[in-house]
Structures are given as C-alpha cells and as structure tokens.
Amino acid sequence: MKQTRVLVADDHEVVRKGVIQILATQPDFEVVSEVDTGRAAVAEATRLKPDVMVMDIMMPELNGLEATRQITKILPNASVLILSMHQSEELIREVLASGARGYVLKSDAARDLVAGVTALSQNRPFFTSSVSEIVLDGFLRTGQTRRTSNEEGGRLSAREREIVQLLAEGNTNKEVASRLNISVKTVETHRSHIMQKLSLNSVSDLVRYAIRNKMVDC
C-alpha cells in the first residue's frame, strides 16, 4: 500500500513532535519533513510535494494562512490541513479562502488528526465537529451582514501581507528587504501603500492590525 507522505509545520516544538508522534501510530503515514516557519513550509512543500500538509496558523516569518495561499498557488492539488487552537467563524472562513481543505482544533488532535489526514489523502475535506457546527451555523443564519476579520486584508496583495507580518514581528525595513530579497526602497514603498490602504498611522497600529487579523501571535 502506498504511504501517505505528510509535511508538518508548527513553530512549537512540543506540539510539532506530538503531531508527529500521533501520525507515527499509522503504518501508512510517513512524515517526510517538519518545519517551524511558514516560509520553510512553502519551500519544503515545493521541494517534496507531500500528499498532505499539517499546518499551524500562527508561525513566524509567514503565517499558516499565507503559506497555504502560496502553496496552493504553486501546487493547485495540494491538500492542507490546518491545525489551530482558534475556532472563530471569521478565521474558519479565512482558512477556507486560503485553499486549505481541512481544519482540526489542537484540542481535538488526539481524536481527529489521523481521520483528517486520511480524509485529505483521499481527496475529501475534513473538519473537527465543532468547526463544522460553526460553519453550518454561519450558513444558516440569515439577515446578518457577514464581515470577516480579514476583509481589509483582502485588499492587500500577497507581498503586502508578507511585509505586514514581518514588520509586526519587529523586523526593520532592511531586515524585511533581506528576508524577501527585495530592495529597502521597495519595502518602504510597500509599507507606505499598506499604511494608506489600511488607514494606519504608526507601527503600533500595524502591529494591532496584524494581531487582530491573526497574522501574528500576541
């Protein structure tokens, strides 16, 4: 039987090792790589083309949502399973919009992680029961204007969202430029456009925006 090749991305080593330990109980699963940043997840996914990627949302350099967007753009058939402690309707909708096909709460990992990876490996979506209820409740509600927490972020380009996260993590313009392999002037131009688009006045405003939109952890 062909093994399901899995990439695990989580910046917390204890959680990452716990996920790998759960997956190791299944003889038909093979963890081909483990990474601790979203940027490394994109690089490893591109290099290894795993069958399923288990992805945390809150990671440094590039959060899980942005990493998923980039991965699914590069690999349209990629199967990403988000593993998160958060379960708001807004965040779940943003996860689905990123191209992920599954969502498991970290609190449910012991019970649902294997089922989730199995489902995605068979080209079926998978959601923890409580997440399914949140999504269903959102669709059933009527007469309410839905506004995702990341609607403003939807006006930002992928590169601008990367820069927002890196700046919010405390990187200087020069450090951002080095990480993204672009010029400092380009970073400054992007930064100016971002502040204008989001009507922000300071770096502290930018940090609050990034935290509110789950780009960085508080």
Side-chain angles (χ1 to χ4, degrees):
M1 179 182 294
K2 179 179 177 293
Q3 283 190 311
T4 297
R5 301 169 65 252
V6 184
L7 184 153
V8 178
D10 195 301
D11 64 321
H12 291 97
E13 184 176 8
V14 172
V15 174
R16 192 171 67 250
K17 296 300 183 184
V19 167
I20 292 171
Q21 187 173 14
I22 292 172
L23 297 176
T25 65
Q26 305 301 307
D28 52 341
F29 289 172
E30 178 192 4
V31 176
V32 294
S33 184
E34 57 175 294
V35 296
D36 58 4
T37 71
R39 201 167 300 285
V42 175
E44 285 293 84
T46 303
R47 182 176 72 89
L48 296 171
K49 298 178 177 59
D51 300 306
V52 178
M53 284 149 278
V54 179
M55 184 89 66
D56 184 25
I57 291 181
M58 299 297 188
M59 290 188 290
E61 296 185 15
L62 192 70
N63 63 69
L65 293 179
E66 291 305 319
T68 299
R69 289 188 182 99
Q70 292 190 18
I71 289 169
T72 54
K73 184 176 181 180
I74 297 168
L75 304 170
N77 296 321
S79 291
V80 179
L81 178 68
I82 295 295
L83 184 65
S84 175
M85 66 176 63
H86 305 285
Q87 56 177 325
S88 70
E89 180 185 341
E90 294 80 9
L91 182 57
I92 293 167
R93 289 181 180 280
E94 193 62 28
V95 164
L96 294 175
S98 74
R101 303 198 63 216
Y103 196 119
V104 171
L105 294 174
K106 288 186 176 179
S107 58
D108 296 336
R111 182 189 69 203
D112 290 340
L113 182 60
V114 168
V117 172
T118 299
L120 266 66
S121 71
Q122 298 171 353
N123 296 315
R124 295 184 289 111
F126 183 90
F127 301 94
T128 294
S129 58
S130 56
V131 171
S132 296
E133 291 171 6
I134 291 171
V135 173
L136 179 61
D137 181 62
F139 279 115
L140 291 177
R141 272 189 273 112
T142 58
Q144 177 178 347
T145 300
R146 291 175 186 153
R147 180 182 184 276
T148 68
S149 63
N150 228 3
E151 263 186 340
E152 289 178 303
R155 290 190 278 135
L156 298 180
S157 67
R159 177 48 57 90
E160 286 171 338
R161 290 194 297 266
E162 285 186 84
I163 290 173
V164 167
Q165 178 172 350
L166 290 170
L167 290 173
E169 289 174 347
N171 293 284
T172 64
N173 289 348
K174 184 176 180 180
E175 289 168 335
V176 172
S178 176
R179 286 178 181 274
L180 298 181
N181 196 29
I182 57 179
S183 70
V184 174
K185 184 176 180 180
T186 298
V187 173
E188 291 171 347
T189 299
H190 278 305
R191 178 172 174 167
S192 176
H193 289 166
I194 290 166
M195 302 296 273
Q196 291 175 10
K197 283 184 178 181
L198 302 179
S199 299
L200 303 177
N201 299 312
S202 65
V203 173
S204 60
D205 288 342
L206 189 69
V207 171
R208 284 192 288 269
Y209 171 85
I211 292 172
R212 188 171 66 248
N213 287 282
K214 304 295 187 296
M215 292 179 170
V216 296
D217 209 349
C218 57

